[in-house]
Amino acid sequence: MKAVFLTAGAAGMYCGSCMHDNAMAKALRQQGVDCLLQPVYTPIRTDEASVAGDRLFFGGIHIYLLQQMPWLHWVPLPIRRLLDWKPLLELVTRRAASTDAKQLGDLAISMLRGSEGRQSDEVERLVDWLSDEIKPDAIIFSNLLIGGCLPLVRQRLPDARLVVLLQGDDIFLDYLPEASRAEAIRLCRELVPTVDRFAVHSQFYAEKMGRLLSIPPDRMLVTPLSIDLRPFQQGLAEDASRSRDEFRLGYLARIAPEKGLHHLVEGFVRLAVQPDHQDLSLHVAGWLGENNRSYFDDLQAKIASAGLIDRFFYHGSPSLEEKVNLLRSFDLMSVPTDYHEPKGLFVLESLAAGVPVIQPEHGAFPELIASTGGGLLVRPSDADHLCEMIQHLKSDPMLRKQLGQTGAQRVAERHAIEQAAKHMKQICFD
């Protein structure tokens, strides 16, 4: 059983989808699948050892320049290949902001047109490699937006099983200008008949993307979101900085408005100034792009103006070991997103560390909380309700312990990467 897993790199930041794809590829290999994790756009960045191949397709610099300067198509290929040189991509993306989809509407549409777009020779190169060198039995696409090559793949590899994961495609589409968004959705719908199976991590997202892209229900499969539990099963490092009287409210996600850190800061400020909550501190970790620096600075200024800056801690973008130990140091974790999250890996990671969560009642979160029993739901964007639930759990250590233990147990039972890989293996080869 041979599979190629095409995963879209996210420039210089840790990407939840990349990390999940990397863990899935490793787990598939452990179950006897000859699985090649193949990056597109940029090399992937994960907080554990990457199993991705060294080759790169659709190099981000290359396809962008082809879009802006179509005459580059006539430059000899060996010269253009220099644009895909890994050190160059790493240099360019090291301090890159997250992709601004509003500026990339034309590029997204061109990529979805596949062999009819301005990157057609790059599409041909990928499909030649798949059909002539690798000859996989299955190809997994980490999202549909990289699927412009699907019609040509179907033509050249008629017997291969083509599987597309849907795990945030709508977020990119929603950032496009309306005309570009409508055209991109139309092109995505045209790709649907070439796909054998679509896989999602929640029923919420299955229904949403089914409606948006007109995907037949019998081709949509819900596979549980999962994580590699092994890092969470190792010993806990001693946290010398922890005060016995400190109650740590935590946040672990990308620093961006859509992730809702401002809601958590609002709740923290409201509570921490009160005499009963002098022990409350806020610990934040996650990748911060330059485009969101002013957003983060404004939040810090708000905390400082309340006289609470000495109880606020930013831990940067932690390594895997640092992340596990940081999560274990939290008493409670919340990422109160504004957008409807299709996954929520940070929920599983927090619960695997034995830490209960408070999440908004939208997106995939109700299903995750129902499945794990590891937290509470609050009304979205409701600061009063968020404060109420933080106070409720802060004042009840037995309930926190119960939620944390139940969550950890059910994550191990229902959301381990090995179980998800077994399901993906069935999707690809049965």
Side-chain angles (χ1 to χ4, degrees):
M1 296 175 289
K2 182 182 290 187
V4 172
F5 200 143
L6 297 175
T7 183
M13 74 172 181
Y14 287 122
C15 166
S17 295
C18 294
M19 291 188 285
H20 186 266
D21 294 350
N22 189 67
M24 177 65 74
K26 286 199 301 183
L28 284 170
R29 290 181 182 184
Q30 292 166 359
Q31 296 191 17
V33 177
D34 181 6
C35 182
L36 173 60
L37 184 64
Q38 177 56 55
V40 299
Y41 299 148
T42 70
I44 66 171
R45 186 183 181 197
T46 67
D47 59 5
E48 61 177 346
S50 171
V51 299
D54 293 329
R55 189 189 297 249
L56 183 73
F57 290 95
F58 301 147
I61 301 172
H62 195 170
I63 63 169
Y64 179 80
L65 292 178
L66 281 171
Q67 185 66 30
Q68 302 302 316
M69 300 179 291
W71 54 264
L72 191 65
H73 175 85
W74 303 107
V75 174
L77 190 58
I79 297 177
R80 283 192 281 136
R81 286 277 74 79
L82 295 174
L83 297 171
D84 295 338
W85 188 40
K86 187 175 180 179
L88 175 62
L89 282 163
E90 290 176 345
L91 176 66
V92 171
T93 61
R94 186 174 299 153
R95 295 180 60 82
S98 59
T99 302
D100 183 353
K102 293 179 180 178
Q103 299 178 12
L104 298 179
D106 290 343
L107 176 57
I109 289 170
S110 182
M111 288 295 296
L112 285 168
R113 287 176 176 157
S115 57
E116 302 298 322
R118 292 186 177 182
Q119 296 75 26
S120 58
D121 52 349
E122 289 301 288
V123 171
E124 291 279 355
R125 187 171 76 93
L126 171 61
V127 178
D128 286 346
W129 175 74
L130 288 169
S131 62
D132 299 342
E133 294 185 39
I134 306 302
K135 300 180 174 64
D137 302 299
I139 305 173
I140 306 167
F141 292 74
S142 66
N143 60 67
L144 187 57
L145 296 165
I146 64 172
C149 62
L150 277 162
L152 191 58
V153 171
R154 174 59 73 201
Q155 178 184 334
R156 298 276 295 276
L157 289 162
D159 297 326
R161 178 70 60 87
L162 304 184
V163 178
V164 172
L165 298 181
L166 298 173
Q167 46 181 346
D169 305 61
D170 62 315
I171 299 168
F172 183 90
L173 290 169
D174 286 346
Y175 278 130
L176 294 175
E178 185 53 39
S180 297
R181 180 180 182 274
E183 177 63 6
I185 291 173
R186 185 188 71 80
L187 291 168
C188 284
R189 287 174 176 171
E190 289 186 352
L191 296 175
V192 167
T194 67
V195 179
D196 293 302
R197 294 288 186 273
F198 290 89
V200 293
H201 299 305
S202 64
Q203 187 61 38
F204 147 76
Y205 207 57
E207 294 172 1
K208 179 176 183 177
M209 297 306 289
R211 290 191 302 268
L212 182 67
L213 302 181
S214 301
I215 300 172
D218 61 350
R219 266 190 276 166
M220 186 80 79
L221 300 173
V222 178
T223 179
L225 188 66
S226 59
I227 59 172
D228 184 351
L229 290 169
R230 287 173 296 181
F232 296 89
Q233 296 168 344
Q234 299 171 4
L236 173 62
E238 185 69 24
D239 185 357
S241 67
R242 174 112 191 208
S243 167
R244 290 184 179 179
D245 297 327
E246 181 185 10
F247 184 92
R248 291 190 174 186
L249 177 62
Y251 170 101
L252 177 64
R254 180 166 50 87
I255 309 298
E258 60 268 21
K259 291 291 188 179
L261 177 58
H262 50 286
H263 296 307
L264 195 61
V265 167
E266 173 70 20
F268 166 67
V269 169
R270 285 196 191 186
L271 293 173
V273 297
Q274 299 177 18
D276 290 344
H277 299 295
Q278 296 301 302
D279 58 342
L280 182 63
S281 62
L282 177 60
H283 292 255
V284 171
W287 188 81
L288 174 60
E290 290 301 316
N291 60 326
N292 286 316
R293 180 72 60 178
S294 61
Y295 165 75
F296 188 60
D297 289 345
D298 288 345
L299 293 180
Q300 287 184 295
K302 180 174 184 176
I303 294 170
S305 67
L308 300 169
I309 199 64
D310 61 331
R311 290 155 63 185
F312 172 76
F313 304 88
Y314 176 53
H315 298 270
S317 192
S319 68
L320 178 59
E321 181 180 359
E322 291 169 341
K323 177 176 71 175
V324 172
N325 286 328
L326 180 64
L327 282 168
R328 286 169 165 169
S329 77
F330 294 165
D331 294 289
L332 179 62
M333 208 274 288
S334 180
V335 181
T337 65
D338 278 328
Y339 79 96
H340 292 190
E341 171 69 60
K343 301 192 301 294
L345 281 170
F346 44 79
V347 170
L348 298 184
E349 291 174 333
S350 183
L351 296 179
V355 178
V357 298
I358 295 176
Q359 291 301 124
E361 193 173 9
H362 60 40
F365 298 134
E367 292 174 61
L368 280 177
I369 297 302
S371 176
T372 62
L376 302 177
L377 296 170
V378 296
R379 293 186 293 272
S381 305
D382 187 329
D384 292 335
H385 199 204
L386 179 60
C387 287
E388 179 185 338
M389 289 299 100
I390 293 173
Q391 289 185 88
H392 176 51
L393 287 183
K394 182 173 181 289
S395 65
D396 194 337
M398 292 304 297
L399 178 57
R400 291 200 312 273
K401 182 177 180 180
Q402 175 191 336
L403 291 173
Q405 289 179 341
T406 300
Q409 179 181 349
R410 291 188 182 173
V411 166
E413 293 171 351
R414 304 176 182 181
H415 297 277
I417 192 67
E418 293 80 8
Q419 297 165 336
K422 182 178 179 180
H423 193 190
M424 181 59 68
K425 183 177 175 182
Q426 293 173 339
I427 292 173
C428 290
F429 301 107
D430 286 357

